[in-house]
Structure formats: C-alpha cells, structure tokens
Coordinates of all heavy atoms in Angstrom, one line a residue:
M993 N -53.4 16.5 186.2 CA -52.0 16.8 186.7 C -51.5 17.9 185.7 O -51.5 17.7 184.5 CB -51.2 15.5 186.6 CG -49.7 15.8 186.9 SD -48.8 14.2 186.7 CE -48.1 14.1 188.3
A994 N -51.0 18.9 186.3 CA -50.4 20.0 185.5 C -48.9 19.9 185.4 O -48.2 19.5 186.3 CB -50.7 21.4 186.2
I995 N -48.4 20.2 184.2 CA -47.0 20.2 184.0 C -46.6 21.6 183.5 O -47.2 22.2 182.6 CB -46.6 19.2 182.9 CG1 -47.0 17.8 183.3 CG2 -45.1 19.3 182.5 CD1 -46.8 16.7 182.3
S996 N -45.5 22.1 184.1 CA -45.0 23.4 183.7 C -43.7 23.3 183.1 O -42.8 22.5 183.5 CB -45.0 24.4 184.9 OG -44.1 24.0 185.8
I997 N -43.4 24.0 182.0 CA -42.1 24.0 181.3 C -41.6 25.4 181.4 O -42.2 26.3 181.0 CB -42.3 23.5 179.9 CG1 -42.9 22.1 179.9 CG2 -41.0 23.6 179.2 CD1 -43.2 21.6 178.5
S998 N -40.3 25.5 181.8 CA -39.7 26.8 181.9 C -38.9 27.0 180.6 O -38.2 26.1 180.1 CB -38.7 26.9 183.1 OG -38.0 28.1 183.0
T999 N -39.1 28.2 180.0 CA -38.4 28.5 178.8 C -37.5 29.8 179.0 O -37.2 30.5 178.1 CB -39.3 28.8 177.6 OG1 -40.2 29.9 178.0 CG2 -40.1 27.6 177.3
D1000 N -37.1 29.9 180.3 CA -36.3 31.1 180.6 C -34.8 31.0 180.1 O -34.1 32.0 180.2 CB -36.2 31.3 182.1 CG -37.6 31.6 182.7 OD1 -38.5 32.0 181.9 OD2 -37.8 31.5 183.9
G1001 N -34.4 29.9 179.7 CA -33.0 29.7 179.2 C -32.1 29.3 180.3 O -32.5 29.0 181.4
A1002 N -30.8 29.4 180.0 CA -29.8 29.0 181.0 C -29.8 29.9 182.2 O -30.1 31.1 182.1 CB -28.4 29.0 180.3
I1003 N -29.4 29.4 183.3 CA -29.4 30.2 184.6 C -27.9 30.2 185.0 O -27.2 29.1 185.0 CB -30.3 29.6 185.6 CG1 -30.3 30.5 186.9 CG2 -30.0 28.2 186.0 CD1 -31.4 30.1 187.9
D1004 N -27.4 31.4 185.3 CA -26.0 31.4 185.8 C -25.9 31.6 187.3 O -26.9 31.7 188.0 CB -25.2 32.6 185.0 CG -25.8 33.9 185.3 OD1 -26.6 34.1 186.3 OD2 -25.5 34.9 184.5
D1005 N -24.7 31.7 187.8 CA -24.5 31.8 189.3 C -25.2 33.0 189.9 O -25.7 33.0 191.0 CB -23.0 31.7 189.7 CG -22.5 30.3 189.6 OD1 -23.3 29.3 189.9 OD2 -21.3 30.1 189.2
E1006 N -25.1 34.1 189.2 CA -25.8 35.3 189.7 C -27.3 35.1 189.8 O -27.9 35.5 190.8 CB -25.5 36.5 188.7 CG -26.0 37.8 189.3 CD -25.6 39.0 188.3 OE1 -24.4 39.0 187.9 OE2 -26.4 39.8 188.1
D1007 N -27.9 34.4 188.8 CA -29.3 34.1 188.9 C -29.6 33.2 190.1 O -30.6 33.3 190.8 CB -29.8 33.4 187.6 CG -29.7 34.3 186.4 OD1 -29.9 35.6 186.6 OD2 -29.4 33.8 185.3
V1008 N -28.7 32.2 190.3 CA -28.9 31.2 191.4 C -28.9 32.0 192.7 O -29.8 31.8 193.6 CB -27.9 30.1 191.4 CG1 -27.9 29.2 192.6 CG2 -28.0 29.2 190.1
Q1009 N -27.9 32.8 192.9 CA -27.8 33.6 194.1 C -29.1 34.4 194.4 O -29.6 34.5 195.5 CB -26.6 34.6 194.1 CG -25.3 33.9 194.3 CD -24.1 34.7 194.1 OE1 -23.1 34.2 193.8 NE2 -24.2 36.0 194.3
M1010 N -29.6 35.1 193.3 CA -30.8 35.8 193.4 C -32.0 35.0 193.8 O -32.8 35.3 194.7 CB -31.1 36.6 192.1 CG -32.3 37.5 192.2 SD -32.7 38.2 190.6 CE -33.4 36.8 189.7
E1011 N -32.1 33.8 193.1 CA -33.2 32.9 193.4 C -33.2 32.4 194.8 O -34.2 32.4 195.5 CB -33.2 31.7 192.4 CG -33.4 32.1 191.0 CD -34.8 32.1 190.5 OE1 -35.7 31.6 191.3 OE2 -35.1 32.7 189.5
V1012 N -32.0 32.0 195.3 CA -31.9 31.5 196.7 C -32.2 32.6 197.6 O -32.9 32.4 198.6 CB -30.5 30.9 196.9 CG1 -30.3 30.5 198.4 CG2 -30.3 29.6 196.0
G1013 N -31.6 33.8 197.4 CA -31.9 34.9 198.2 C -33.3 35.2 198.4 O -33.8 35.5 199.5
E1014 N -34.1 35.1 197.3 CA -35.5 35.4 197.3 C -36.2 34.3 198.1 O -37.1 34.6 198.9 CB -36.1 35.4 195.9 CG -35.7 36.7 195.1 CD -36.2 36.7 193.7 OE1 -36.8 35.6 193.2 OE2 -36.0 37.7 193.0
E1015 N -35.8 33.1 198.0 CA -36.5 32.0 198.7 C -36.2 32.2 200.2 O -37.1 32.0 201.1 CB -35.9 30.6 198.3 CG -36.3 30.2 196.9 CD -37.8 29.7 196.8 OE1 -38.4 29.4 197.9 OE2 -38.3 29.7 195.7
L1016 N -35.0 32.5 200.6 CA -34.6 32.7 202.0 C -35.3 33.9 202.6 O -35.8 33.9 203.8 CB -33.1 32.8 202.2 CG -32.2 31.6 201.8 CD1 -30.8 32.0 201.8 CD2 -32.5 30.5 202.8
A1017 N -35.5 34.9 201.8 CA -36.1 36.2 202.3 C -37.6 36.0 202.6 O -38.2 36.7 203.4 CB -35.9 37.3 201.3
M1018 N -38.2 34.9 202.0 CA -39.6 34.7 202.3 C -39.9 34.1 203.7 O -41.0 34.2 204.2 CB -40.2 33.7 201.2 CG -40.4 34.3 199.9 SD -41.4 33.3 198.8 CE -40.1 32.8 197.6
D1019 N -38.8 33.6 204.3 CA -38.9 33.1 205.7 C -38.4 34.2 206.7 O -37.2 34.5 206.7 CB -38.1 31.8 205.9 CG -38.4 31.2 207.2 OD1 -38.6 31.9 208.2 OD2 -38.3 29.9 207.3
P1020 N -39.3 34.8 207.5 CA -38.9 35.9 208.4 C -37.8 35.5 209.4 O -37.0 36.3 209.8 CB -40.2 36.3 209.1 CG -41.2 35.4 208.7 CD -40.7 34.5 207.6
K1021 N -37.7 34.2 209.7 CA -36.7 33.7 210.6 C -35.3 33.6 210.0 O -34.3 33.5 210.7 CB -37.1 32.4 211.2 CG -38.3 32.5 212.1 CD -38.7 31.1 212.6 CE -40.0 31.2 213.5 NZ -40.4 29.9 213.9
L1022 N -35.3 33.6 208.6 CA -34.0 33.5 207.9 C -33.6 34.8 207.3 O -32.4 35.0 207.0 CB -34.1 32.4 206.8 CG -34.3 31.0 207.3 CD1 -34.6 30.0 206.1 CD2 -33.2 30.5 208.2
K1023 N -34.6 35.6 207.0 CA -34.4 36.9 206.3 C -33.3 37.7 207.0 O -33.4 38.0 208.2 CB -35.7 37.7 206.2 CG -35.5 38.9 205.3 CD -36.9 39.6 205.2 CE -36.7 40.8 204.3 NZ -38.0 41.5 204.1
G1024 N -32.3 38.1 206.3 CA -31.2 39.0 206.8 C -30.2 38.2 207.7 O -29.2 38.8 208.1
K1025 N -30.4 36.9 207.8 CA -29.4 36.2 208.7 C -28.6 35.2 207.8 O -27.6 34.7 208.3 CB -30.2 35.4 209.7 CG -30.9 36.3 210.7 CD -31.6 35.4 211.7 CE -32.4 36.4 212.7 NZ -33.1 35.7 213.7
V1026 N -29.1 34.9 206.6 CA -28.4 33.9 205.8 C -28.1 34.5 204.4 O -28.9 35.1 203.8 CB -29.2 32.6 205.6 CG1 -28.5 31.6 204.7 CG2 -29.6 32.0 207.0
G1027 N -26.8 34.4 204.0 CA -26.4 34.8 202.7 C -26.0 33.6 201.9 O -25.9 32.5 202.4
V1028 N -25.9 33.9 200.6 CA -25.6 32.8 199.7 C -24.6 33.2 198.6 O -24.6 34.4 198.2 CB -26.9 32.3 199.0 CG1 -27.5 33.4 198.1 CG2 -26.6 31.0 198.1
K1029 N -23.7 32.3 198.2 CA -22.7 32.5 197.1 C -22.9 31.2 196.3 O -22.8 30.1 196.8 CB -21.3 32.6 197.7 CG -20.2 32.7 196.6 CD -20.2 34.0 196.0 CE -19.0 34.1 195.0 NZ -19.1 35.2 194.1
S1030 N -23.1 31.4 195.0 CA -23.2 30.3 194.1 C -22.0 30.1 193.2 O -21.5 31.1 192.7 CB -24.5 30.5 193.2 OG -24.6 29.4 192.3
I1031 N -21.5 28.9 193.2 CA -20.4 28.5 192.3 C -20.8 27.3 191.5 O -21.0 26.2 192.0 CB -19.1 28.2 193.1 CG1 -18.8 29.4 194.0 CG2 -18.0 27.8 192.2 CD1 -17.7 29.1 195.1
K1032 N -21.0 27.5 190.2 CA -21.4 26.5 189.3 C -22.7 25.7 189.7 O -22.8 24.5 189.7 CB -20.3 25.5 189.0 CG -19.1 26.1 188.3 CD -18.0 25.1 188.0 CE -16.9 25.8 187.3 NZ -15.8 24.9 187.0
G1033 N -23.7 26.5 190.3 CA -24.9 25.9 190.7 C -24.9 25.4 192.1 O -26.0 25.0 192.6
V1034 N -23.8 25.4 192.8 CA -23.7 25.0 194.2 C -23.9 26.2 195.1 O -23.1 27.1 195.0 CB -22.4 24.3 194.5 CG1 -22.3 23.8 195.9 CG2 -22.1 23.1 193.5
A1035 N -25.0 26.2 195.8 CA -25.3 27.3 196.7 C -24.6 27.1 198.1 O -24.8 26.1 198.8 CB -26.8 27.4 196.9
H1036 N -23.7 28.0 198.4 CA -23.0 28.0 199.7 C -23.7 28.9 200.6 O -23.7 30.2 200.4 CB -21.5 28.4 199.5 CG -20.7 27.5 198.7 ND1 -19.9 26.5 199.2 CD2 -20.6 27.3 197.3 CE1 -19.4 25.8 198.2 NE2 -19.8 26.3 197.1
L1037 N -24.3 28.4 201.7 CA -25.0 29.2 202.6 C -24.1 29.7 203.8 O -23.3 28.9 204.3 CB -26.2 28.5 203.2 CG -27.2 27.9 202.2 CD1 -28.3 27.2 203.0 CD2 -27.8 29.1 201.4
M1038 N -24.2 31.0 204.1 CA -23.4 31.5 205.2 C -24.2 32.3 206.1 O -25.3 32.9 205.7 CB -22.2 32.4 204.6 CG -21.3 31.6 203.7 SD -20.5 32.7 202.6 CE -21.7 32.9 201.3
G1039 N -23.8 32.5 207.3 CA -24.6 33.3 208.3 C -24.6 32.7 209.6 O -23.8 31.8 210.0
N1040 N -25.6 33.2 210.4 CA -25.7 32.7 211.8 C -27.2 32.7 212.1 O -27.9 33.7 212.0 CB -25.0 33.7 212.7 CG -24.7 33.1 214.1 OD1 -25.1 32.0 214.4 ND2 -24.2 34.0 215.0
V1041 N -27.7 31.5 212.6 CA -29.0 31.3 213.0 C -29.1 30.8 214.5 O -28.1 30.4 215.0 CB -29.8 30.4 212.1 CG1 -29.9 31.0 210.7 CG2 -29.2 29.0 212.1
E1042 N -30.3 30.9 215.1 CA -30.4 30.6 216.5 C -30.5 29.1 216.8 O -30.3 28.7 217.9 CB -31.7 31.2 217.0 CG -31.7 32.7 217.1 CD -32.0 33.4 215.7 OE1 -32.7 32.7 214.9 OE2 -31.6 34.5 215.5
S1043 N -30.9 28.2 215.8 CA -31.0 26.8 216.1 C -30.6 25.9 214.9 O -30.6 26.4 213.8 CB -32.5 26.6 216.4 OG -33.3 26.7 215.3
K1044 N -30.4 24.6 215.3 CA -30.1 23.7 214.2 C -31.3 23.5 213.3 O -31.1 23.2 212.1 CB -29.7 22.3 214.9 CG -28.4 22.3 215.6 CD -28.1 21.0 216.3 CE -26.8 21.1 217.0 NZ -26.5 19.8 217.7
E1045 N -32.5 23.6 213.8 CA -33.7 23.5 213.0 C -33.7 24.5 211.9 O -34.0 24.2 210.8 CB -34.9 23.5 213.9 CG -36.2 23.3 213.1 CD -36.3 21.9 212.5 OE1 -35.7 20.9 213.0 OE2 -37.0 21.8 211.4
L1046 N -33.4 25.8 212.3 CA -33.3 26.8 211.3 C -32.3 26.6 210.2 O -32.4 26.9 209.0 CB -33.1 28.2 211.9 CG -34.3 28.8 212.6 CD1 -34.0 30.1 213.3 CD2 -35.4 29.1 211.5
K1047 N -31.2 26.0 210.6 CA -30.1 25.6 209.7 C -30.6 24.6 208.7 O -30.4 24.7 207.5 CB -28.9 25.1 210.5 CG -27.7 24.8 209.6 CD -26.5 24.4 210.4 CE -25.3 24.0 209.5 NZ -24.1 23.7 210.3
K1048 N -31.3 23.6 209.2 CA -31.9 22.6 208.3 C -33.0 23.2 207.3 O -33.0 22.9 206.2 CB -32.6 21.5 209.1 CG -31.6 20.6 209.8 CD -32.4 19.6 210.6 CE -31.5 18.8 211.5 NZ -32.2 17.8 212.3
I1049 N -33.8 24.1 207.9 CA -34.8 24.8 207.1 C -34.1 25.6 206.0 O -34.6 25.6 204.8 CB -35.7 25.7 207.9 CG1 -36.6 24.8 208.8 CG2 -36.5 26.7 207.1 CD1 -37.3 25.6 209.9
A1050 N -33.0 26.3 206.3 CA -32.3 27.1 205.3 C -31.8 26.2 204.1 O -31.9 26.6 202.9 CB -31.1 27.8 205.9
T1051 N -31.3 25.0 204.4 CA -30.8 24.1 203.4 C -32.0 23.6 202.5 O -31.9 23.7 201.3 CB -30.2 22.8 204.0 OG1 -29.1 23.2 204.8 CG2 -29.7 21.8 203.0
K1052 N -33.1 23.3 203.1 CA -34.3 22.8 202.4 C -34.8 24.0 201.5 O -35.2 23.7 200.4 CB -35.3 22.3 203.4 CG -36.5 21.7 202.7 CD -37.5 21.1 203.8 CE -38.6 20.4 203.1 NZ -39.6 19.9 204.1
T1053 N -34.9 25.2 202.1 CA -35.4 26.3 201.3 C -34.5 26.6 200.1 O -35.0 26.8 199.0 CB -35.5 27.5 202.3 OG1 -36.3 27.2 203.4 CG2 -36.0 28.8 201.6
A1054 N -33.2 26.6 200.3 CA -32.2 26.9 199.3 C -32.3 25.9 198.1 O -32.2 26.2 197.0 CB -30.8 27.0 199.8
S1055 N -32.5 24.6 198.5 CA -32.6 23.6 197.5 C -33.8 23.7 196.6 O -33.8 23.1 195.5 CB -32.5 22.2 198.2 OG -33.7 22.0 198.9
K1056 N -34.8 24.4 197.0 CA -36.0 24.6 196.1 C -35.7 25.6 195.0 O -36.5 25.7 194.0 CB -37.1 25.2 197.0 CG -37.7 24.2 198.0 CD -38.8 24.9 198.8 CE -39.2 24.1 200.0 NZ -40.2 24.9 200.8
A1057 N -34.7 26.5 195.1 CA -34.5 27.5 194.2 C -34.1 27.0 192.8 O -33.3 26.0 192.7 CB -33.4 28.5 194.7
R1058 N -34.5 27.7 191.8 CA -34.2 27.3 190.4 C -32.7 27.4 190.2 O -32.0 28.4 190.5 CB -34.9 28.3 189.5 CG -34.9 28.0 188.1 CD -35.9 28.9 187.3 NE -35.5 30.2 187.4 CZ -34.8 30.9 186.4 NH1 -34.5 30.3 185.3 NH2 -34.5 32.2 186.5
G1059 N -32.1 26.4 189.6 CA -30.7 26.3 189.2 C -29.8 25.8 190.2 O -28.6 25.5 190.0
V1060 N -30.3 25.5 191.4 CA -29.4 24.9 192.5 C -29.2 23.4 192.2 O -30.2 22.7 192.1 CB -30.0 25.1 193.9 CG1 -29.3 24.4 195.0 CG2 -30.1 26.6 194.2
T1061 N -27.9 23.0 192.2 CA -27.6 21.6 192.0 C -27.2 20.9 193.3 O -27.3 19.7 193.4 CB -26.5 21.4 190.9 OG1 -25.3 22.1 191.4 CG2 -26.9 22.0 189.6
E1062 N -26.7 21.8 194.2 CA -26.3 21.2 195.5 C -26.3 22.4 196.5 O -26.1 23.6 196.1 CB -24.9 20.7 195.4 CG -24.3 20.1 196.7 CD -22.9 19.5 196.5 OE1 -22.4 19.4 195.3 OE2 -22.3 19.3 197.5
V1063 N -26.5 22.1 197.8 CA -26.4 23.1 198.9 C -25.3 22.7 199.8 O -25.3 21.6 200.3 CB -27.7 23.3 199.6 CG1 -27.6 24.3 200.7 CG2 -28.8 23.7 198.6
V1064 N -24.4 23.7 200.1 CA -23.3 23.5 201.1 C -23.7 24.4 202.2 O -23.6 25.7 202.0 CB -21.9 23.8 200.5 CG1 -20.9 23.7 201.6 CG2 -21.6 22.8 199.4
N1065 N -24.0 23.9 203.4 CA -24.5 24.7 204.5 C -23.3 25.0 205.4 O -22.9 24.1 206.1 CB -25.6 24.0 205.2 CG -26.3 25.0 206.2 OD1 -25.7 25.8 206.8 ND2 -27.6 24.8 206.3
E1066 N -22.9 26.3 205.4 CA -21.8 26.7 206.3 C -22.3 27.7 207.4 O -21.6 28.4 208.0 CB -20.7 27.4 205.4 CG -20.1 26.5 204.4 CD -19.2 27.3 203.4 OE1 -18.7 28.4 203.7 OE2 -19.0 26.7 202.3
I1067 N -23.6 27.6 207.6 CA -24.2 28.5 208.6 C -23.8 28.0 210.0 O -23.8 26.8 210.3 CB -25.8 28.4 208.5 CG1 -26.2 28.9 207.1 CG2 -26.5 29.1 209.6 CD1 -27.7 28.7 206.8
K1068 N -23.5 29.0 210.9 CA -23.2 28.7 212.3 C -24.5 28.8 213.1 O -25.4 29.6 212.8 CB -22.2 29.7 212.7 CG -20.8 29.6 212.1 CD -19.8 30.5 212.6 CE -18.4 30.4 212.1 NZ -18.2 29.9 210.8
V1069 N -24.5 28.0 214.1 CA -25.7 28.0 215.0 C -25.3 28.7 216.3 O -24.3 28.3 216.9 CB -26.2 26.6 215.3 CG1 -27.3 26.6 216.3 CG2 -26.6 25.9 214.0
G1070 N -26.1 29.6 216.8 CA -25.9 30.3 218.1 C -25.3 31.7 217.8 O -25.1 32.1 216.7
D1071 N -25.2 32.4 218.9 CA -24.7 33.8 218.9 C -23.2 33.8 219.2 O -22.8 33.5 220.3 CB -25.5 34.6 219.9 CG -25.1 36.1 219.8 OD1 -24.3 36.4 219.0 OD2 -25.6 36.8 220.7
N1072 N -22.4 34.0 218.2 CA -20.9 34.0 218.3 C -20.3 35.4 218.6 O -19.1 35.5 218.5 CB -20.3 33.4 217.1 CG -20.7 31.9 216.9 OD1 -20.8 31.2 217.9 ND2 -20.9 31.5 215.7
K1073 N -21.2 36.4 218.8 CA -20.7 37.8 218.9 C -19.7 37.9 220.1 O -18.7 38.6 220.0 CB -21.8 38.8 219.0 CG -22.6 38.9 217.7 CD -23.8 39.8 217.9 CE -24.6 39.8 216.6 NZ -25.8 40.6 216.7
E1074 N -20.0 37.3 221.3 CA -19.2 37.5 222.4 C -17.8 36.8 222.2 O -16.8 37.3 222.5 CB -19.8 36.9 223.7 CG -21.0 37.7 224.2 CD -21.6 37.1 225.4 OE1 -21.0 36.3 226.1 OE2 -22.8 37.4 225.7
E1075 N -17.9 35.6 221.6 CA -16.6 34.9 221.2 C -15.8 35.7 220.3 O -14.6 35.8 220.5 CB -17.0 33.5 220.6 CG -15.8 32.6 220.4 CD -16.2 31.3 219.8 OE1 -17.2 30.7 220.3 OE2 -15.5 30.9 218.9
D1076 N -16.4 36.3 219.3 CA -15.6 37.1 218.3 C -15.0 38.3 219.0 O -13.9 38.6 218.7 CB -16.5 37.5 217.2 CG -17.0 36.4 216.3 OD1 -16.3 35.3 216.3 OD2 -18.0 36.6 215.5
L1077 N -15.7 38.9 219.9 CA -15.2 40.1 220.6 C -14.0 39.6 221.5 O -13.0 40.3 221.5 CB -16.3 40.7 221.5 CG -15.9 41.8 222.4 CD1 -15.4 43.0 221.5 CD2 -17.1 42.3 223.3
F1078 N -14.1 38.5 222.1 CA -13.0 38.0 223.0 C -11.8 37.8 222.2 O -10.7 38.2 222.5 CB -13.4 36.7 223.7 CG -12.3 36.0 224.4 CD1 -11.8 36.6 225.6 CD2 -11.6 34.9 223.9 CE1 -10.8 36.0 226.3 CE2 -10.6 34.4 224.6 CZ -10.2 34.9 225.8
H1079 N -11.9 37.1 221.0 CA -10.8 36.8 220.2 C -10.1 38.1 219.6 O -8.9 38.2 219.5 CB -11.1 35.9 219.0 CG -11.4 34.5 219.5 ND1 -10.4 33.7 220.0 CD2 -12.5 33.7 219.4 CE1 -10.8 32.6 220.3 NE2 -12.1 32.5 220.0
T1080 N -11.0 39.1 219.3 CA -10.5 40.4 218.8 C -9.7 41.1 219.9 O -8.6 41.6 219.7 CB -11.6 41.3 218.4 OG1 -12.3 40.6 217.4 CG2 -11.1 42.6 217.9
Q1081 N -10.2 41.0 221.2 CA -9.4 41.6 222.3 C -8.1 40.9 222.5 O -7.1 41.6 222.8 CB -10.3 41.6 223.5 CG -11.5 42.6 223.5 CD -12.4 42.4 224.6 OE1 -12.4 41.4 225.3 NE2 -13.3 43.4 224.8
V1082 N -8.1 39.6 222.4 CA -6.9 38.9 222.7 C -5.8 39.2 221.6 O -4.7 39.5 221.9 CB -7.1 37.3 222.6 CG1 -5.8 36.6 222.6 CG2 -8.0 36.9 223.9
R1083 N -6.3 39.3 220.3 CA -5.3 39.7 219.3 C -4.8 41.1 219.5 O -3.7 41.4 219.3 CB -6.0 39.6 217.9 CG -6.1 38.2 217.4 CD -6.5 38.1 215.9 NE -7.8 38.6 215.7 CZ -8.9 37.9 215.7 NH1 -8.8 36.6 215.9 NH2 -10.1 38.4 215.5
N1084 N -5.7 42.0 219.9 CA -5.3 43.4 220.2 C -4.2 43.4 221.3 O -3.3 44.2 221.3 CB -6.5 44.3 220.5 CG -7.3 44.6 219.3 OD1 -6.9 44.4 218.2 ND2 -8.5 45.1 219.6
D1085 N -4.4 42.6 222.4 CA -3.5 42.6 223.5 C -2.1 42.1 223.0 O -1.1 42.6 223.4 CB -4.0 41.7 224.6 CG -5.2 42.3 225.3 OD1 -5.4 43.5 225.2 OD2 -5.9 41.5 226.0
D1086 N -2.1 41.1 222.1 CA -0.9 40.5 221.6 C -0.1 41.5 220.7 O 1.1 41.5 220.7 CB -1.2 39.3 220.7 CG -1.6 38.1 221.6 OD1 -1.4 38.1 222.8 OD2 -2.2 37.1 221.0
D1087 N -0.9 42.4 220.0 CA -0.2 43.4 219.1 C 0.4 44.5 219.9 O 1.4 45.1 219.4 CB -1.3 44.0 218.1 CG -1.7 42.9 217.1 OD1 -1.0 41.9 216.9 OD2 -2.8 43.2 216.5
G1088 N -0.1 44.8 221.0 CA 0.4 46.0 221.7 C 1.2 45.7 222.9 O 1.9 46.3 223.6

C-alpha cells in the first residue's frame, strides 16, 4: 500500500479554483461549460450542462480537487438561451 504526503503548504481559494478548473477541464463534456468560484475552500459550480447526470459528475469531479472542503452545485440543466432571450425582449418592450 502506497502513502503519499503533500508538502505543498497551505492552499488558498485561488489555488482551489485552479485545481477544480483543471479537474473539470479533463472531462470533455464539462470543459468550457462549468465555472468555479471558491470561498474558504467551498467550490461553487456555475454554468449550464445538458443533463442531470453531467451535473452530478461535475460535483463528483470538483470534490476530488485538492483543497475543496465542500461543493455547492449551482449548475443549470438544459438550454436556457431561448428563455433568456424571451425575458430580455420582454424587458426591452417594458422600457420603450
């Protein structure tokens, strides 16, 4: 049985974001679709994916990253572009 010990020192939120980003980028289905913001080791995932399964995979992937103490998944499932466009048009109509 092998044991590894890390001597890299303390990890800050910038490091956590980088680590999570690298983990997510390794999965072609998540790469470029999920972003991360770390606050005191808590990784907040944001973005939009095609399925609930990908959302679960993103959480599991992020939790593997060094320095992550918790994952808060705020990823939306499905394509919301049409809905966003509709709301923008409604607001524009209200303004003018």
